[in-house]
Amino acid sequence: MAEPLAYEGTGYEIVEEEPPEVLGRNLISASYLLAGATAFFFIAFVFAYFYLRSLNNGGLWKPHGVDASIGWGTAVVACYVLSAVLVRLGLTDHRALRRAQWRQKGGAALLVGVVGLVLQVIAWTHQSFGPADGGFASVYFGWTAFLFLFVLGTLLWLEMTFATSLRYRTMETQAPPPGHASGDPHREAHDIRDPLSLVRAELVGLSFYWTFLAGIAVLSWIVLYLV
Amino acid sequence: MTAVAAPPPRPLWRRLLGFNLLTALVLGVGGWYVGWFGAHAVKGLSIAYFADTDYNELSVVMAYIGGVVGFLVGLGFLNYPIARMRGYPPSLREKETHGWTRYFSLCTDHKVVGIQYLWGIGLFFFIGGLNAMLIRTELLRPNHQVFPAGTYLTIVGMHGTMMMGMMTSGILGPFANYLVPIMIGARRMAFPRIEALTFWLLMAAGTILTSTIFFGGFPTGWTGYAPLSNEGNPGMDNYLLFFALVGISMTLLGLNMIATVLTMRAPGLTWTRLPIFVWGVLSTAVLMVLAAPVLIATLGMEMLDRTAQTTFFVAAGGGSSYLYQNLFWVFGHPEVYILALPGFAIVLELLPVFSRKPLWGYRLAVGGLLGVSLLSWFVWQHHLFVSGINGDLRPFYMLSTELISIPTGFTFLCGMMTLWRGNIRFTVPMLFCLAWFFNFLIGGLSGVFLSDVPSDVTTHGSFFSMAHFHYTIMGGLVFTFFAAIYYWVPKMTGWELNERLGKVHFWTMFIFFNSTFFPLFIAGFEGQPRRVVTYSSHLQFLNDWVSVSAFLLGISMLVFLFNLVWSLAFVKKPAEANPWSSRSIEFQLPSPVPVHNFDRIPVFSSDPYGYGEGPVPTWVAPAGAPAGSE
């Protein structure tokens, strides 16, 4: 008689101390998948852009005076790209075990990203047109608004990774106290063994996704400001 | 193994005060008012774009967004992100809870989430079904009698939107969440909190759609076409928010499923040993991750049109309503296969068990599932054949639509060949699977008429197309949904369902389903249009026949509901661990499955379809094999 695959009961110790590599793989795969989903989200805006532009319904695609300010647009996109580059460089530092340098670059990336968001808000209020001023105006405000939300979410992810590195900066080789983040007072151990080691996997996923999103920002810059 | 005793349950009053559904409802209502008054504050700033009325679109949108945020806060979904923002390291699970209250709170056990989905979707499925009964009541007479035309349109829209929105997760929600980790030898989904979030977002969405009746309803049916949607009541915003939340839930659900299957398969579980159900889930999840974002973006544009006065879909402002049609169907047609593919997978999963034969043409079946998934991206413009698209585009979309019948045919072929000379057992799940062949064949053949330009021009927008997609969605998905319920619920709950009542349910549902929808093909050919409250008097006999059949179909659902409640709440007959003599791994576990799924991660040595090929594999696990290692 073969040994059963499981017994009834709730032995939590079985699900504790999972190797961190598993969640690491989950995170990296998820960042690729999220990039795929994000691409299809913005394809809808690219489609809308070219559809309305080629249709030019009633000559209202881009009426006279509707031109997005290239200065503001360039500043915003430059911040996004710079932030993504800093995260990538921070990942290189983290891989080389230069944790202090990673934290510096991570903090700078966060700051630059937030500056980009603030500049975007200012840019909206300084345009010479409003959302009701034709097809281009609709695409401009819709695209930049949703990109704003995606960037905000990515910066929150960066903040979480950065905050963990900062909080445990003096004990990076030690695990935090058992059950620190499990949320269950009855747990006597982490549900992931050595959860701090996941900073690397988070950074790999984050860096990929942020670079991808910065690429979309560059695309938006080309389409909305240059073409 | 040493078992740690479960912590003693806290008193009920103590549990009610924490993060749970009750708190979520209170904070949801609070958040709703915060959003409502917040929007009015924006109006107070006299920003010209926000209409200066007490009942403007922005108020409704902001109120519901506030409500959803409050709801999620009440359930405890913000606790983990806030802890992470404060620098606490990642973790996998929320606090483990026990007993019935865990079904009313954020729970990160994939099996609890599966059961939450089953009941939650069932509730909204029931509401959608009641709407169908109201529609058929109205259509008992050729002239409107019960509801005004506008109310009738809202009921039709609510029925279609509820069914299409909720049933996108009809199989993946309850069954994939519960079974996929077990089938691949894992102890959890890749992201347990996100898994729980997808469920609660769906519940918030369903509530929002149901409450559209307080805001005047919506006139557009489930497709939400502009320009009608731009001009609709504030109830239209409920539609937009509902579908946007469903889209977010779908994207996250799909992402979680793919990440789980890609990264957490147990040792030995190669791609060619993966259960066909998991392949079906995977091909559906790919569509979810890529198609649902297009829907969210489209609804976002529509929401901006209604609140911030953009003109994406307003022709007078430089937009185009055809843009909406294109974008909606880029999502909408893959959506049809998001509904259908899990049904295919269930049929292929169950047929070997009840035929006592290996699955015929495993690789062909997988190719069929993936082929449908791929081709579904190239057919969307057949929905626009009568919308005035460029005539040169029509042949391509006609051809691509007809091509999709080839991979669908693979599924049929594999299913039929598995049945061939099998030792067939006519259990309730098997009966539902066999009915799928009949129903989906009619659905598929009638689809050829709609993919063909000349016949589509005649039948588009008529009851013919309505009958077609009910044959594919209800005949294809809902029948397999019930097959899955009868097959897996004993494993999920640990209690048997009554087989005799199950057979009564099946036969009444099968007969009255066909009696309801087949005559609608004729009504469609006779020219009865969809979404119109009146019809020609010579069609009254057909419509009365259909209405009576629909009521009897509704009664068959009550038989099922009675069986479910009777068996699970009163009789409580313990289910055997493997009542169907299945070789699949979930049936080698105790019923219900323990919280940790496996004491040790199993090692796979074959696929689960080796009926007649010796004893069930033992899944001998090397000591200490890590979870998810390959």
Side-chain angles (χ1 to χ4, degrees):
Chain A
M1 181 70 183
E3 187 183 351
L5 287 163
Y7 294 95
E8 307 229 20
T10 52
Y12 287 126
E13 81 286 1
I14 288 175
V15 290
E16 287 168 349
E17 301 286 339
E18 183 183 283
E21 295 78 20
V22 184
L23 187 58
R25 286 203 303 266
N26 296 160
L27 281 167
I28 293 166
S29 307
S31 70
Y32 298 150
L33 293 166
L34 196 59
T38 308
F40 272 71
F41 183 91
F42 284 103
I43 280 173
F45 281 93
V46 175
F47 186 91
Y49 177 91
F50 286 107
Y51 192 93
L52 295 181
R53 183 189 161 110
S54 59
L55 205 61
N56 194 14
N57 216 344
L60 288 171
W61 161 248
K62 211 170 183 182
H64 181 70
V66 175
D67 266 312
S69 159
I70 193 165
W72 286 110
T74 306
V76 171
V77 173
C79 285
Y80 293 166
V81 171
L82 180 60
S83 175
V85 169
L86 283 168
V87 170
R88 192 146 278 261
L89 293 173
L91 170 64
T92 309
D93 284 334
H94 200 277
R95 281 184 172 138
L97 302 179
R98 299 189 294 266
R99 302 293 162 85
Q101 285 91 326
W102 135 243
R103 285 194 295 272
Q104 286 167 4
K105 290 187 179 71
L110 191 59
L111 191 67
V112 173
V114 171
V115 169
L117 292 181
V118 173
L119 288 176
Q120 179 62 76
V121 174
I122 297 170
W124 284 329
T125 61
H126 281 68
Q127 300 298 348
S128 59
F129 58 93
D133 293 333
F136 174 81
S138 300
V139 175
Y140 169 80
F141 279 101
W143 188 330
T144 53
F146 281 106
L147 184 61
F148 180 95
L149 292 178
F150 275 82
V151 171
L152 182 65
T154 310
L155 291 180
L156 280 174
W157 186 6
L158 171 60
E159 196 281 338
M160 290 173 190
T161 313
F162 175 68
T164 306
S165 295
L166 204 62
R167 188 179 189 96
Y168 297 100
R169 62 189 176 282
T170 57
M171 43 184 292
E172 293 214 345
T173 53
Q174 296 173 258
H180 210 142
S182 72
D184 188 347
H186 299 284
R187 289 279 180 83
E188 293 174 352
H190 291 296
D191 45 20
I192 308 167
R193 190 192 324 133
D194 188 15
L196 289 182
S197 66
L198 278 165
V199 168
R200 174 77 54 82
E202 280 200 283
L203 262 177
V204 173
L206 172 66
S207 174
F208 171 79
Y209 185 71
W210 197 192
T211 306
F212 178 82
L213 207 53
I216 288 180
V218 171
L219 176 70
S220 75
W221 181 68
I222 294 168
V223 170
L224 297 176
Y225 299 98
L226 295 187
V227 177
Chain B
M1 171 190 118
T2 57
V4 175
R10 295 175 299 166
L12 185 62
W13 69 269
R14 184 73 187 81
R15 279 183 278 169
L16 290 178
L17 282 181
F19 292 101
N20 55 40
L21 183 57
L22 194 64
T23 315
L25 291 174
V26 172
L27 292 185
V29 172
W32 196 94
Y33 279 104
V34 169
W36 176 268
F37 289 117
H40 278 64
V42 172
K43 186 197 73 177
L45 294 174
S46 299
I47 296 173
Y49 288 113
F50 304 124
D52 191 20
T53 65
D54 287 342
Y55 209 55
N56 61 43
E57 312 296 343
L58 189 69
S59 300
V60 176
V61 171
M62 292 291 287
Y64 277 108
I65 290 173
V68 171
V69 171
F71 182 72
L72 295 178
V73 169
L75 283 164
F77 277 101
L78 258 59
N79 299 353
Y80 179 68
I82 289 172
R84 291 294 327 272
M85 288 175 73
R86 293 170 60 207
Y88 289 96
S91 75
L92 290 170
R93 296 174 186 82
E94 287 295 308
K95 185 164 63 182
E96 305 286 353
T97 50
H98 308 272
W100 60 271
T101 50
R102 65 190 158 150
Y103 294 100
F104 298 92
S105 58
L106 191 179
C107 185
T108 42
D109 181 345
H110 69 94
K111 299 178 287 297
V112 172
V113 176
I115 291 171
Q116 283 175 325
Y117 258 110
L118 191 60
W119 287 100
I121 283 181
L123 171 71
F124 288 110
F125 185 61
F126 187 71
I127 293 172
L130 283 180
N131 285 325
M133 297 297 107
L134 295 179
I135 292 167
R136 288 317 315 177
T137 304
E138 174 58 54
L139 293 178
L140 278 166
R141 295 285 180 274
N143 298 309
H144 75 83
Q145 48 174 354
V146 185
F147 310 110
T151 308
Y152 176 78
L153 277 179
T154 292
I155 295 169
V156 171
M158 277 182 69
H159 166 71
T161 312
M162 188 69 85
M163 292 300 197
M164 292 301 277
M166 285 292 164
M167 289 312 284
T168 49
S169 305
I171 302 292
L172 262 65
F175 299 110
N177 272 314
Y178 193 102
L179 294 163
V180 163
I182 298 172
M183 284 180 163
I184 64 169
R187 289 186 175 130
R188 61 172 176 86
M189 289 288 290
F191 302 103
R193 287 186 185 85
I194 286 179
E195 182 189 22
L197 178 66
T198 61
F199 167 71
W200 288 109
L201 280 177
L202 212 56
M203 294 302 100
T207 310
I208 290 172
L209 184 69
T210 309
S211 65
T212 187
I213 50 176
F214 300 117
F215 297 97
F218 59 97
T220 58
W222 84 276
T223 51
Y225 270 11
L228 200 52
S229 54
N230 287 73
E231 297 154 7
N233 291 320
M236 194 72 223
D237 297 315
N238 294 53
Y239 164 90
L240 297 173
L241 286 162
F242 164 82
F243 241 140
L245 287 177
V246 167
I248 294 169
S249 173
M250 278 166 68
T251 309
L252 296 175
L253 177 59
L255 188 149
N256 206 4
M257 285 293 162
I258 299 173
T260 303
V261 177
L262 286 183
T263 62
M264 301 192 68
R265 282 170 293 125
L269 189 58
T270 57
W271 289 110
T272 52
R273 289 174 181 165
L274 208 58
I276 197 77
F277 178 70
V278 180
W279 272 113
V281 168
L282 201 59
S283 48
T284 309
V286 170
L287 291 182
M288 282 177 150
V289 168
L290 301 181
V294 179
L295 171 75
I296 302 166
T298 309
L299 298 176
M301 293 177 200
E302 179 61 45
M303 233 178 279
L304 287 172
D305 272 8
R306 288 175 62 85
T307 58
Q309 312 296 314
T310 55
T311 58
F312 284 102
F313 309 126
V314 184
S320 169
S321 57
Y322 291 121
L323 173 63
Y324 183 91
Q325 292 192 27
N326 274 293
L327 288 174
F328 183 83
W329 287 111
V330 168
F331 152 79
H333 207 84
E335 146 88 343
V336 174
Y337 291 99
I338 288 170
L339 295 167
L341 282 171
F344 295 5
I346 286 173
V347 170
L348 293 173
E349 183 71 33
L350 268 58
L351 286 180
V353 180
F354 297 113
S355 304
R356 312 311 294 168
K357 275 181 67 188
L359 176 63
W360 189 89
Y362 174 92
R363 289 174 192 232
L364 191 66
V366 171
L369 294 170
L370 296 178
V372 169
S373 190
L374 179 69
L375 279 177
S376 69
W377 290 100
F378 302 101
V379 301
W380 89 86
Q381 285 228 344
H382 71 228
H383 293 276
L384 280 72
F385 278 160
V386 295
S387 296
I389 62 167
N390 187 329
D392 293 341
L393 286 171
R394 284 172 160 182
F396 171 79
Y397 285 100
M398 184 170 84
L399 188 65
S400 62
T401 306
E402 287 173 354
L403 271 179
I404 214 163
S405 59
I406 294 174
T408 310
F410 291 171
T411 309
F412 257 75
L413 180 66
C414 295
M416 298 298 267
M417 291 302 288
T418 305
L419 289 172
W420 179 252
R421 292 186 172 176
N423 182 14
I424 296 172
R425 293 185 292 171
F426 292 100
T427 59
V428 180
M430 184 61 161
L431 289 173
F432 276 102
C433 288
L434 294 176
W436 173 87
F437 281 102
F438 181 81
N439 298 335
F440 206 80
L441 184 66
I442 294 176
L445 291 178
S446 57
V448 176
F449 287 77
L450 293 167
S451 66
D452 235 36
V453 176
S455 48
D456 181 70
V457 168
T458 306
T459 52
H460 190 97
S462 74
F463 266 46
F464 184 91
S465 61
M466 200 269 271
H468 156 71
F469 72 68
H470 277 84
Y471 261 98
T472 52
I473 304 305
M474 188 164 182
L477 174 74
V478 178
F479 271 74
T480 56
F481 175 67
F482 283 117
I485 287 179
Y486 284 104
Y487 183 67
W488 277 305
V489 160
K491 171 58 58 184
M492 293 163 78
T493 61
W495 293 314
E496 272 186 17
L497 293 174
N498 184 295
E499 176 147 7
R500 186 180 294 270
L501 281 172
K503 287 189 173 170
V504 172
H505 170 217
F506 167 74
W507 283 111
T508 50
M509 184 175 164
F510 180 67
I511 290 167
F512 295 120
F513 164 76
N514 281 286
S515 177
T516 300
F517 290 106
F518 199 84
L520 292 181
F521 286 122
I522 302 166
F525 269 139
E526 293 278 332
Q528 184 171 351
R530 295 161 65 186
R531 299 173 187 158
V532 177
V533 70
T534 58
Y535 55 86
S536 172
S537 56
H538 80 280
L539 294 170
Q540 183 172 355
F541 175 75
L542 265 180
N543 274 278
D544 286 354
W545 177 281
V546 168
S547 289
V548 172
S549 299
F551 299 145
L552 293 169
L553 180 61
I555 290 172
S556 79
M557 297 296 166
L558 294 181
V559 173
F560 163 72
L561 202 60
F562 175 76
N563 188 4
L564 201 66
V565 175
W566 177 251
S567 301
L568 302 185
F570 294 100
V571 178
K572 291 188 171 180
K573 185 180 175 188
E576 292 173 38
N578 191 358
W580 315 113
S581 305
S582 168
R583 294 173 69 100
S584 190
I585 192 169
E586 74 272 18
F587 284 103
Q588 317 311 320
L589 294 167
S591 296
V593 179
V595 69
H596 52 279
N597 295 356
F598 305 100
D599 287 359
R600 281 184 294 176
I601 295 300
V603 176
F604 287 77
S605 57
S606 68
D607 70 32
Y609 306 116
Y611 294 100
E613 295 175 0
V616 175
T618 53
W619 287 282
V620 176
S629 61
E630 277 192 271

